[in-house]
Amino acid sequence: GISFVDMNEIILIQRENRNTVICTADEEYITSEGLSELYERLDKNLFFRSHKSYIINLSMISKIYPYGRWTFIVKFKNTCKDALITYKQYEELKSFFR
């Protein structure tokens, strides 16, 4: 599980093949737990399910820009990794920040 990871350190969580990769600025943790189960335990004020394969830490976003028609790329502070956000989730996210 992710009990040993400080929630505030998590930048993004990505589903890859059959594993889930939890990324912090300097570590990657691999778990077999699904995104839905992880998301249940995360602080919804801080984390957002941006895509079927990604959970992102809202406080770590540096920028978001379009990628294709229905998808956006999310860039983060402290990592070169990025995440995807669907158009629908992007619209929902914008309402958080209004």
Side-chain angles (χ1 to χ4, degrees), residues 46-69:
L46 196 57
F47 291 94
F48 185 73
R49 181 80 185 260
S50 63
H51 183 277
K52 65 177 173 15
S53 303
Y54 293 93
I55 296 168
I56 60 177
N57 181 333
L58 299 176
S59 70
M60 294 285 187
I61 295 172
S62 63
K63 64 179 186 185
I64 298 179
Y65 57 87
Y67 176 75
R69 193 163 166 201

Side-chain angles (χ1 to χ4, degrees), residues 35-49:
L35 287 185
S36 301
E37 296 96 298
L38 284 176
Y39 192 53
E40 289 298 303
R41 304 210 304 277
L42 294 168
D43 179 353
K44 304 300 183 293
N45 295 312
L46 196 57
F47 291 94
F48 185 73
R49 181 80 185 260

Side-chain angles (χ1 to χ4, degrees), residues 2 10 33-34 37 58-59 67 80 88 97:
I2 53 165
I10 297 171
E33 204 169 353
E37 296 96 298
L58 299 176
S59 70
Y67 176 75
C80 56
K88 180 172 169 288
F97 289 111

